């Protein structure tokens, strides 16, 4: 099981998942959490979720986050 988490006022820039998913964040089996006022800029993944990849995860909220120029085969910004 995952933990309750919070991520605020963070910048993720120029991150790469060259052989997988989640260029900036890869979250699997995470419980409740929140993202507020984060920026995801020019992240990329070869498969899924250029900025964020979620699998078996529950996100309660994404508030005022900015996604700019992220890329992936599926889900340029977020893959659920």
């Amino acid at each position: 099981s995952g933990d309750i988490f919070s991520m605020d006022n963070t910048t993720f820039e120029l991150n790469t998942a060259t052989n997988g998913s989640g260029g900036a964040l890869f979250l699997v089996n995470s419980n409740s959490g929140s993202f507020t006022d984060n920026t995801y800029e020019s992240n990329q993944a070869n498969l899924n979720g250029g900025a964020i990849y979620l699998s078996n995860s529950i996100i309660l909220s994404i508030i005022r986050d900015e996604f700019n120029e992220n890329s992936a085969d599926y889900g340029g910004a977020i893959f659920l």
Side-chain angles (χ1 to χ4, degrees):
S1 70
D3 296 321
I4 296 173
F5 63 89
S6 175
M7 187 162 309
D8 305 318
N9 300 306
T10 303
T11 298
F12 299 91
E13 187 173 10
L14 298 171
N15 297 289
T16 303
T18 57
N19 293 313
S21 301
L25 296 172
F26 183 89
L27 301 170
V28 176
N29 298 325
S30 297
N31 289 331
S32 60
S34 66
F35 294 98
T36 305
D37 295 320
N38 299 296
T39 301
Y40 306 86
E41 182 82 36
S42 301
N43 299 290
Q44 63 181 13
N46 284 358
L47 297 176
N48 307 310
I52 300 174
Y53 173 85
L54 300 171
S55 178
N56 298 322
S57 300
I58 300 169
I59 299 285
L60 291 181
S61 62
I62 297 176
I63 301 169
R64 294 184 306 270
D65 282 16
E66 292 185 29
F67 296 87
N68 302 305
E69 298 185 30
N70 299 285
S71 64
D73 287 346
Y74 300 96
I78 301 173
F79 184 89
L80 306 172

